[in-house]
Amino acid sequence: MPFAGVDIGSVSAKSVIISDNEILGYSILPTGADVEDVARRVLNESLKKAGLTESDLERIIATGYGRISVPFADDKMTEISCHAKGASWFLPETQTVIDIGGQDSKVIKLGENGTVISFVMNDKCAAGTGRFLEVMSRALELSMDEFANLSLKSLKPCDINSICTVFAESEVISLRAEKKPVQDIIAGIHKSVAKRILAMSTQIGILRPITMTGGVAKNLGQKKALEDTLGFKLLTPKEPQIVGALGAALFA
Amino acid sequence: MNKTYQEYFKMLEFTSEEIEKELPRIEKAFTKLGITEDDLQICIKRIKNSLDVSLVGMRKILKILFKETIDLIMAGEEYEKIVYITLPGWGGAFIAPIRNTHPEIYGQCIDMLTAVALHPLFNKQVQCLETGEKYLPAGNIHCAGFRTLLGAMDMGVFAKPNMMISWGIYCDEGPKVTELMAEKYDIPIVFIDQYQDFPTDVGVPFPRYVNFVAEEMKKTFKEIEKVLEIEIPEAALMNTMTETMGPHRDFTAIQQMMLDNDPVPLSIADLMIAFIFNSLTCSPDNKKSKVDALKTLRNEVKQRVKKGEGPVEKGRPRILDTVPSFSDPESNHLFQECGLQVAGTDMAIYPPDGSATPDLTDCKDFHSYVAKTVMAIPASAGVAVRKQVLAAVANKYKIDGIILDPSYSCRVGFSDCQIMRNFVEKELKIPVMIMEHDCYDPRFFTPGQIRTRIETFAEQLKVYKVSKQIEN
Ligand SMILES: Nc1ncnc2c1ncn2[C@@H]1O[C@H](COP(=O)(O)OP(=O)(O)O)[C@@H](O)[C@H]1O
Ligand code: SF4
């Protein structure tokens, strides 16, 4: 039986189609302003990849920030429960999930079968999120890919002291004016996000193995900074950005 | 009067005669606060969406809160002298004997009234907060409850009092901010001193501590008499004590019915309004109405229990929320929107067994009654006692999960919240969530973010309940 999970995030919309415990197709699109429209488009695109139509679907579950704006969904679940479920499908040994998305980051401790035992979520501030990294990459006039990869070349990350996105941006501009190597500035930015995640993790006491999910898991510089800060390696699924949508499809 | 104003006053159950009589004062107060039609429209929506105005008791409470806030704003023009008492505590009861014996004097537990009324009824708390923040001297953060007060004073909404009373029963914010205000506006303050070496592992209220604070309160009354040049007869104190006990009993009965029943018969959004309302003093005009409002609400809640009714259906997860919002009913309402029943708050339950009624049997006078009531709540106690209360409540009232709700700007709330989380998770073995918010600052209510947290917690509790049923 085919099921769909639709994850409407603040930055990107994701949809995954599964059947008999297998991923048949998925799609990722920028969220944009019209949530309902993107939800429909991302679902259709993933259905096309799976070679199915909407009438083939048994159930659709919506998740993510825009979950309440998906009129065709049969039900909704929060992205926290969905990332937990999806991560444990990809990597069943997972005990903790670190999900860094566009506007929030979460640390989730898992129980059996990917259930949530406890979680922490960043507050409404953008610090420690994908949005923070986007603002920083714009301040440095780099694409997200360039930004993510340059960081890996740094040997001496700068210190970014401000947690606040606005202040951190002005710190980055000052560091540029001081002619600090750009890879060190980026590595410093990644380190500051990592420190924020570490602070969140200590609140619930994380267990290993840890799986990193969300779009920011594709940022290898950020992943490395997190591994350096936490002191151990992180697992990442093949496509970390669809983990929430996959979890939703599994709940369906 | 246009349609919005009519709808607003109708919601608060003003009769046309009352409006006609009160309108000039209300208009003056609205001008001082800068109330616009938009504000009233927002308030109508806010109240109707988040408070249960189908309950007569709730409508009565809202009407009195409205009238009391207008009195507060107009106090500078209408009273000869003004005295404010600040948080934390049972300030309304403390100040009531002054108002009861001297109708020419206005008195109020000012930050409690502003906390509960400015946002839901006037949509002006954020403006006061922002003004207060501009005014704060460098290096002073202070809790949002006090930032609101500072802002309202700075905006000229509240009159400069003739004196202020301040006590730091479990928090030093009140005394610190009162001192700041006293300096800026040149106001005499009296401090009710607290016991210095309070043991954190004994039950509250700790008798020696109660006696000490009661004695301090007696001294404070002497000082009040001197500064305001009045006399407060002993009999007035005893009368106030009897008078306050009635509504307090009604409030505690409501909290107890929430703890005892499934479905929980009242929403936490409504309980919080009733909780703060109960701690306020009222003008002579509103005194009888206050008694009636809480009694009516109690009876309505009792009826709901009889009929097995509540805002959320029976069997849904029952949680305890340590410090729900004082100012923002919309954030409190989210719990029921996510299918959670909030059975109570540890602001209104008492050690050692977590019942909603404090043991006041040995209070021989007004001072020890007020001191004991303030100091009996878990917030006044150390971590050991607070753990004991949470454990008792969780077991006795079949609580499925606990939300620890430390206020951002509250040092008391934040200091031990991680310890409490570990305790609930490891010792009580029930789901627990820390929900950062601010009980006085509605700006911390980002609907999407908070909803995601609460919904996830609800999903977690659903799984927990099922696994518990399988285990049993
Ligand atoms: N290829 C990539 N390289 C680096 N970062 C990426 C990449 N793709 C996405 N991101 C990051 O992921 C974030 C979006 O993550 P996502 O999980 O889709 O968020 P949301 O669910 O909130 O929309 C972006 O803000 C960006 O920082
Ligand atoms: S909220 Fe916290 S900081 Fe503010 S007065 Fe109450 S106890 Fe003190």
Side-chain angles (χ1 to χ4, degrees):
Chain A
M1 283 292 182
F3 298 95
V6 178
D7 175 1
I8 308 296
S10 60
V11 172
S12 64
K14 286 82 56 177
S15 172
V16 174
I17 310 293
I18 59 163
S19 184
D20 295 330
N21 214 25
E22 230 183 274
I23 297 178
L24 302 184
Y26 69 84
S27 166
I28 304 173
L29 293 175
T31 300
D34 189 342
V35 172
E36 255 186 76
D37 173 63
V38 79
R40 171 68 59 200
R41 282 191 291 119
V42 78
L43 174 73
N44 287 344
E45 211 171 277
S46 61
L47 280 166
K48 207 162 136 196
K49 287 186 186 161
L52 298 172
T53 62
E54 199 178 329
S55 58
D56 297 320
L57 292 174
E58 190 66 17
R59 263 169 74 78
I60 305 170
I61 299 269
T63 186
Y65 196 64
R67 64 187 174 281
I68 45 172
S69 315
V70 183
F72 53 83
D74 296 294
D75 208 345
K76 60 181 171 56
M77 295 286 288
T78 64
E79 57 270 36
I80 298 174
S81 298
C82 292
H83 273 268
K85 191 83 179 166
S88 95
W89 183 89
F90 267 123
L91 299 155
E93 65 273 37
T94 305
Q95 300 260 15
T96 307
V97 173
I98 294 178
D99 161 35
I100 313 183
Q103 75 171 11
D104 37 42
S105 38
K106 296 123 184 161
V107 181
I108 313 160
K109 215 155 84 177
L110 305 197
E112 272 171 41
N113 299 323
T115 52
V116 177
I117 290 187
S118 61
F119 67 93
V120 268
M121 187 174 172
N122 71 310
D123 46 57
K124 67 194 248 184
C125 162
T129 68
R131 185 78 80 207
F132 174 81
L133 296 170
E134 283 180 27
V135 171
M136 296 307 142
S137 72
R138 243 174 279 141
L140 292 168
E141 293 163 24
L142 293 169
S143 73
M144 206 58 222
D145 274 346
E146 290 166 328
F147 180 86
N149 295 327
L150 258 174
S151 153
L152 295 168
K153 297 195 179 126
S154 165
L155 297 174
K156 201 168 169 280
C158 296
D159 278 325
I160 309 283
N161 296 311
S162 281
I163 280 177
C164 165
T165 310
V166 179
F167 293 137
E169 186 176 2
S170 61
E171 255 189 273
V172 164
I173 292 165
S174 315
L175 288 167
R176 273 196 90 184
E178 286 169 30
K179 304 252 179 306
K180 292 275 186 219
V182 72
Q183 64 267 30
D184 293 347
I185 301 177
I186 303 172
I189 293 166
H190 285 145
K191 199 168 83 179
S192 90
V193 171
K195 280 201 275 190
R196 185 126 176 107
I197 302 292
L198 176 68
M200 282 167 63
S201 309
T202 48
Q203 279 185 43
I204 54 167
I206 48 173
L207 296 172
R208 283 191 271 171
I210 302 171
T211 297
M212 188 178 177
T213 66
V216 176
K218 290 177 168 172
N219 176 334
L220 297 183
Q222 184 60 69
K223 186 179 171 210
K224 179 174 179 298
L226 253 175
E227 290 177 336
D228 292 347
T229 307
L230 295 170
F232 37 80
K233 292 273 171 221
L234 300 174
L235 308 174
T236 20
K238 230 169 37 210
E239 179 40 278
Q241 208 166 359
I242 62 161
V243 172
L246 170 70
L250 291 167
F251 276 121
Chain B
M1 208 189 315
N2 74 20
K3 244 175 85 185
T4 306
Y5 283 73
Q6 278 172 9
E7 192 184 351
Y8 181 82
F9 288 119
K10 193 170 158 223
M11 179 182 73
L12 297 179
E13 302 221 308
F14 275 90
T15 60
S16 38
E17 295 80 47
E18 278 175 315
I19 296 177
E20 203 172 309
K21 188 169 154 237
E22 294 291 327
L23 200 59
R25 292 177 73 235
I26 293 176
E27 277 177 345
K28 259 190 181 177
F30 274 16
T31 309
K32 278 194 179 187
L33 254 181
I35 302 275
T36 62
E37 194 180 339
D38 285 352
D39 289 321
L40 296 189
Q41 265 165 6
I42 290 169
C43 291
I44 293 168
K45 205 167 140 216
R46 185 170 288 152
I47 289 174
K48 288 190 173 167
N49 286 345
S50 57
L51 293 171
D52 196 340
V53 282
S54 72
L55 294 164
V56 181
M58 188 45 56
R59 297 203 298 269
K60 288 185 175 183
I61 290 177
L62 291 172
K63 181 176 180 181
I64 303 169
L65 286 174
F66 174 88
K67 287 169 76 176
E68 284 298 325
T69 315
I70 300 295
D71 281 358
L72 166 62
I73 298 167
M74 297 304 292
E77 294 179 28
E78 297 178 346
Y79 289 82
E80 284 173 23
K81 289 173 191 162
I82 298 174
V83 49
Y84 297 146
I85 185 163
T86 58
L87 273 166
W90 194 226
F94 182 88
I95 218 155
I98 308 174
R99 273 185 106 170
N100 285 349
T101 48
H102 295 83
E104 75 285 6
I105 299 178
Y106 178 83
Q108 189 53 276
C109 180
I110 185 172
D111 27 28
M112 271 291 180
L113 178 56
T114 50
V116 73
L118 280 188
H119 187 64
L121 282 165
F122 301 94
N123 194 36
K124 281 294 164 216
Q125 188 173 17
V126 171
Q127 197 181 335
C128 293
L129 266 164
E130 283 169 357
T131 311
E133 275 151 17
K134 271 188 232 139
Y135 155 69
L136 276 181
N140 286 266
I141 302 288
H142 294 305
C143 105
F146 286 106
R147 271 183 268 140
T148 310
L149 177 56
L150 289 171
M153 291 287 292
D154 216 42
M155 283 159 67
V157 174
F158 302 155
K160 177 185 150 180
N162 297 73
M163 78 179 295
M164 294 194 70
I165 304 158
S166 183
W167 45 3
I169 297 296
Y170 46 85
C171 168
D172 59 356
E173 279 292 274
K176 279 189 177 145
V177 177
T178 324
E179 207 163 20
L180 209 71
M181 283 167 63
E183 254 171 47
K184 179 165 178 180
Y185 299 103
D186 191 23
I187 310 164
I189 337 174
V190 200
F191 292 105
I192 303 173
D193 279 346
Q194 60 176 324
Y195 201 80
Q196 290 302 314
D197 61 346
F198 176 53
T200 53
D201 56 348
V202 295
V204 283
F206 183 46
R208 209 147 38 105
Y209 191 30
V210 171
N211 293 340
F212 180 86
V213 175
E215 283 307 313
E216 281 300 305
M217 283 168 56
K218 278 186 199 160
K219 282 192 224 158
T220 306
F221 267 102
K222 291 268 164 290
E223 194 60 27
I224 294 170
E225 289 182 321
K226 209 164 87 193
V227 176
L228 298 180
E229 296 168 345
I230 54 169
E231 248 181 67
I232 304 162
E234 197 60 37
L237 300 180
M238 286 314 279
N239 286 346
T240 307
M241 177 170 147
T242 325
E243 207 179 86
T244 318
M245 277 178 161
H248 193 47
R249 260 196 303 270
D250 288 326
F251 170 76
T252 55
I254 295 170
Q255 167 66 96
Q256 192 65 51
M257 284 188 272
M258 290 174 67
L259 288 168
D260 287 337
N261 290 288
D262 186 7
V264 172
L266 189 71
S267 153
I268 190 71
D270 300 301
L271 182 84
M272 287 313 286
I273 298 275
F275 169 67
I276 298 179
F277 174 68
N278 177 40
S279 76
L280 298 171
T281 178
C282 282
S283 71
D285 279 358
N286 294 331
K287 240 167 48 182
K288 272 205 186 115
S289 318
K290 177 182 173 182
V291 176
D292 171 51
L294 278 166
K295 198 168 282 315
T296 308
L297 187 64
R298 177 184 178 170
N299 286 335
E300 288 177 299
V301 174
K302 208 163 139 190
Q303 285 308 314
R304 282 190 172 177
V305 171
K306 269 195 192 151
K307 292 186 200 154
E309 287 172 0
V312 180
E313 74 194 40
K314 185 182 162 98
R316 289 299 187 106
R318 293 163 57 80
I319 60 166
L320 186 83
D321 184 356
T322 53
V323 188
S325 180
F326 292 179
S327 306
D328 187 2
E330 282 170 307
S331 69
N332 289 338
H333 192 261
L334 267 180
F335 295 109
Q336 71 201 65
E337 288 171 30
C338 298
L340 293 177
Q341 309 198 72
V342 186
T345 155
D346 82 345
M347 306 294 296
I349 54 174
Y350 296 90
D353 61 346
S355 95
T357 322
D359 173 16
L360 299 169
T361 43
D362 61 345
C363 291
K364 49 187 187 314
D365 58 19
F366 171 80
H367 305 97
S368 55
Y369 162 68
V370 176
K372 198 167 176 182
T373 313
V374 177
M375 292 188 298
I377 61 164
S380 302
V383 170
V385 176
R386 296 187 43 208
K387 284 181 178 173
Q388 181 196 353
V389 181
L390 278 191
V393 175
N395 292 331
K396 195 165 156 190
Y397 303 113
K398 298 191 174 58
I399 297 295
D400 299 306
I402 293 178
I403 292 193
L404 300 168
D405 238 348
S407 255
Y408 262 126
S409 54
C410 170
R411 35 189 115 195
V412 176
F414 240 107
S415 54
D416 55 19
C417 121
Q418 198 54 42
I419 303 173
M420 299 307 281
R421 176 213 272 266
N422 291 343
F423 169 73
V424 176
E425 204 170 75
K426 298 202 173 98
E427 307 284 326
L428 304 186
K429 295 189 172 37
I430 56 175
V432 55
M433 176 175 79
I434 295 181
M435 199 174 84
E436 301 91 341
H437 81 148
D438 197 306
C439 66
Y440 296 111
D441 190 344
R443 292 171 305 179
F444 279 93
F445 172 51
T446 340
Q449 279 260 10
I450 297 195
R451 185 182 277 277
T452 297
R453 282 167 211 240
I454 300 177
E455 264 184 38
T456 308
F457 194 57
E459 286 162 4
Q460 200 183 330
L461 282 168
K462 215 161 108 186
V463 175
Y464 165 79
K465 277 199 92 167
V466 171
S467 65
K468 221 169 75 174
Q469 273 159 5
I470 295 170
E471 245 173 56
N472 294 336

